[in-house]
Amino acid sequence: MGTHHYNLSEQFEFTGKAKILSIVGIAVGILTIAYGLFFNHEHAHQMHERTYANLLLMGYYFACVCMSATFFLAIQFVAQAGWSASILRVPQAMAKNLPIAALILIVITGLGLYTHNLYHHWHAEGLTDPSSPNYDKIIAGKAVFLNVPFFMIRQVVFMGSYALFAHFVTKWSYNEDLTGGLTSYNKSFKYSCIFLVIYGFTTPIFAFDNIMSLEAHWFSTMFGWYNFASMWVSTLAIIAIIIILLRKAGYMSWVNNSHLHNLGQFIFGFSIFWTYVWFAQFLLIYYANMSEETVYFHKRFNSYEFWFYLNIVLNFLTPLLLLMDRDNKRSENLLLTVSIIVVCGHWVDYYQMIMPGIFEFGAKDGSGFGILELGIAAGFIGLFTFTVLSALSKKPMVAKNHPFLQESLNHHL
């Protein structure tokens, strides 16, 4: 296919329904948070905990998606991938908002610690004092790592380093549009190699801090990679959703079924990988007969049984059955449908990671599903849509001086 038909200066206009709906979503989210935190409720403490739990869920999801978009960019540069050169502006728009997502997550975890609505299992008074009636030997043993100052320092250092790389890798791509040559690309390649090493070592700790420490008596060496798989496949699905919706709106005409095929392959493959890690986490406990570690799954088998099995249906069975066929991966509408299901599925995944760690007995102790979950999710979806599409609208939709652009424009499988 020739490339002379493509408008490589094409720019996205963020107007109309998408902009209005994103602002409405943000407003709904703010009102829902206010309702959960400031209205007089019969069970005010439980409502506050549930509000913070949902803020952590969506703040973590938002940050993970922006982090993984940055990871996607780094992978493409290090692999010197040609197929993706024409679609990089979408993950770049997501990565550009990582500083916002990082700040939001840091504020949520900081306030959660300050108000004792999050992580209260390991930072309550007396847990590390042998003379206190609240003394907890396990928590005391982990106190060197699980203490508020060190926790917040790790949050700032990890998120700050990710955000710094996201800022520069997008900046270099935009500079490439203006100056051409290989200087910006070579910088992106070199620093992507460094970033991948840092990211690979720190994201498991990031997951341990934000999610696993909600249940500080329990641990799993697989938990970091389980979270990595979840955030990675969610990001791939969101990239696919944005690209397909842009195509339907008349943009990115250079994206063809082969590009969709590649994205479909990644979503299919990493959905299987997510299932493997998810099951391995269970299997290691079961096979070693570690009864003290079964508490994690006992909660989810009982109080959260519906969410537990829904998680498998949405995140394993759906992509397995619908994306196994080659033609299905190349179908715009089918890939869009599966991607939306996967994004919703990993919300369920994070829900059943977080809620049982805060609410010991499911709905009996304050958790549930209702206006707080829907409203706060709507707020973060609105914020994500507004920030990403705003970033996307500020630059041309293709990196016209990328050294592998012609390969991507002529990509066929």
Side-chain angles (χ1 to χ4, degrees):
M1 180 186 291
T3 61
H4 60 279
H5 299 296
Y6 302 132
N7 176 16
L8 300 184
S9 299
E10 180 179 78
Q11 203 149 338
F12 174 69
E13 294 182 12
F14 184 32
T15 56
K17 288 183 180 179
K19 193 167 193 174
I20 294 169
L21 288 174
S22 63
I23 294 170
V24 169
I26 294 169
V28 168
I30 292 171
L31 291 173
T32 306
I33 294 166
Y35 167 75
L37 294 180
F38 304 118
F39 276 53
N40 291 322
H41 302 283
E42 183 180 352
H43 304 287
H45 178 66
Q46 290 178 351
M47 285 294 286
H48 292 171
E49 280 195 329
R50 188 170 155 196
T51 303
Y52 269 96
N54 280 284
L55 284 170
L56 176 63
L57 192 163
M58 292 308 303
Y60 184 75
Y61 202 161
F62 184 23
C64 285
V65 165
C66 294
M67 285 162 47
S68 294
T70 309
F71 177 72
F72 180 91
L73 294 171
I75 287 288
Q76 304 312 306
F77 285 117
V78 171
Q80 297 187 329
W83 75 273
S84 60
S86 64
I87 65 169
L88 289 182
R89 285 291 150 88
V90 171
Q92 281 175 6
M94 295 162 65
K96 194 172 182 184
N97 290 288
L98 181 53
I100 298 170
L103 181 61
I104 290 172
L105 182 60
I106 289 168
V107 169
I108 290 169
T109 53
L111 289 176
L113 286 162
Y114 177 75
T115 61
H116 286 258
N117 285 305
L118 293 174
Y119 310 109
H120 45 71
H121 295 302
W122 57 262
H123 79 105
E125 289 186 15
L127 291 175
T128 59
D129 182 2
S131 63
S132 170
N134 294 327
Y135 177 70
D136 187 312
K137 185 178 180 181
I138 294 174
I139 300 299
K142 297 180 179 182
V144 173
F145 188 81
L146 287 182
N147 61 79
V148 174
F150 192 29
F151 179 95
M152 293 308 298
I153 288 170
R154 290 195 301 274
Q155 288 283 82
V156 172
V157 170
F158 292 168
M159 298 302 293
S161 61
Y162 304 156
L164 197 63
F165 175 78
H167 167 75
F168 281 110
V169 80
T170 53
K171 178 183 175 183
W172 292 326
S173 179
Y174 298 151
N175 288 346
E176 193 175 60
D177 284 358
L178 301 175
T179 60
L182 291 175
T183 302
S184 295
Y185 182 84
N186 289 336
K187 282 183 181 178
S188 298
F189 175 85
K190 181 172 74 173
Y191 287 100
S192 291
C193 295
I194 298 169
F195 170 78
L196 290 180
V197 175
I198 295 170
Y199 190 83
F201 277 104
T202 57
T203 43
I205 304 171
F206 174 78
F208 295 160
D209 281 347
N210 284 279
I211 309 299
M212 195 168 74
S213 68
L214 291 168
E215 298 169 88
H217 289 95
W218 178 83
F219 74 95
S220 166
T221 54
M222 301 295 293
F223 194 82
W225 305 115
Y226 164 43
N227 270 255
F228 166 78
S230 188
M231 66 176 76
W232 176 231
V233 76
S234 302
T235 302
L236 293 168
I238 290 172
I239 290 171
I241 290 168
I242 294 172
I243 289 172
I244 292 169
L245 291 179
L246 286 171
R247 284 189 72 193
K248 287 179 175 290
Y251 297 99
M252 300 186 81
S253 59
W254 52 82
V255 175
N256 58 46
N257 291 344
S258 295
H259 295 100
L260 299 182
H261 188 144
N262 283 112
L263 288 170
Q265 283 179 314
F266 278 127
I267 294 167
F268 174 80
F270 282 101
S271 292
I272 305 302
F273 176 70
W274 171 87
T275 311
Y276 159 71
V277 181
W278 176 89
F279 182 68
Q281 182 171 259
F282 168 80
L283 187 64
L284 287 174
I285 294 170
Y286 172 78
Y287 190 75
N289 197 25
M290 296 189 293
S291 57
E292 69 277 12
E293 297 298 325
T294 59
V295 58
Y296 181 86
F297 290 98
H298 178 73
K299 292 178 185 178
R300 288 154 180 82
F301 281 147
N302 290 277
S303 300
Y304 294 82
E305 186 177 17
F306 169 76
W307 299 103
F308 185 86
Y309 291 109
L310 181 63
N311 192 23
I312 301 304
V313 171
L314 297 180
N315 295 319
F316 172 57
L317 292 178
T318 300
L320 173 72
L321 298 176
L322 295 182
L323 289 183
M324 187 179 292
D325 186 77
R326 170 185 166 89
D327 291 338
N328 289 355
K329 296 185 190 76
R330 303 170 73 86
S331 168
E332 195 174 69
N333 291 329
L334 191 58
L335 182 60
L336 177 62
T337 301
V338 174
S339 297
I340 292 171
I341 291 171
V342 166
V343 170
C344 294
H346 285 286
W347 181 93
V348 172
D349 190 22
Y350 289 133
Y351 180 89
Q352 64 87 41
M353 281 188 216
I354 291 170
M355 296 300 174
I358 298 174
F359 304 102
E360 297 292 343
F361 301 106
K364 296 177 184 177
D365 196 32
S367 71
F369 183 81
I371 189 171
L372 284 177
E373 286 70 28
L374 293 172
I376 293 174
F380 274 89
I381 291 168
L383 179 63
F384 178 81
T385 303
F386 186 86
T387 54
V388 169
L389 294 186
S390 293
L392 194 63
S393 68
K394 289 180 168 57
K395 301 291 179 183
M397 296 185 70
V398 67
K400 62 182 180 182
N401 288 323
H402 192 290
F404 299 124
L405 179 61
Q406 292 303 317
E407 180 181 341
S408 183
L409 295 177
N410 294 282
H411 178 56
H412 287 283
L413 293 174

